[in-house]
Amino acid sequence: HFDFIKPDALPETFPEFGEYLGKCVWRNCTHTKESGCAITAAVEDGKIAASRRESYLKMYEELSKKNFWE
């Protein structure tokens, strides 16, 4: 149960993303599909496990469907 986390705060819950946060080309990068994403580059370089990014993407998708104002 992670549905109390807003999508924009999710990256901070992945410790291995920490050193790459704030290093993306786009300031509001969601780390899902943007070109110039430092997280995606780290996965491609083998510095972050692809399975961790997949977990992130699944959680991000689920959280994106949630209406936090309800």
Side-chain angles (χ1 to χ4, degrees):
H1 295 286
F2 57 90
D3 62 348
F4 60 90
I5 300 170
K6 291 186 178 180
D8 59 345
L10 184 62
E12 293 148 11
T13 67
F14 284 74
E16 59 272 71
F17 289 11
E19 69 180 278
Y20 305 101
L21 296 176
K23 296 183 180 177
C24 299
V25 172
W26 308 106
R27 192 170 80 181
N28 61 344
C29 186
T30 63
H31 317 296
T32 58
K33 61 185 180 291
E34 298 87 354
S35 62
C37 175
I39 304 285
T40 301
V43 171
E44 291 170 355
D45 292 344
K47 296 176 181 173
I48 295 175
S51 61
R52 290 297 284 161
R53 183 167 183 270
E54 286 300 316
S55 293
Y56 169 80
L57 292 173
K58 288 177 186 175
M59 292 174 75
Y60 185 89
E61 180 180 346
E62 191 67 30
L63 290 172
S64 295
K65 295 176 189 174
K66 183 169 173 50
N67 294 324
F68 285 94
W69 58 87
E70 292 180 348

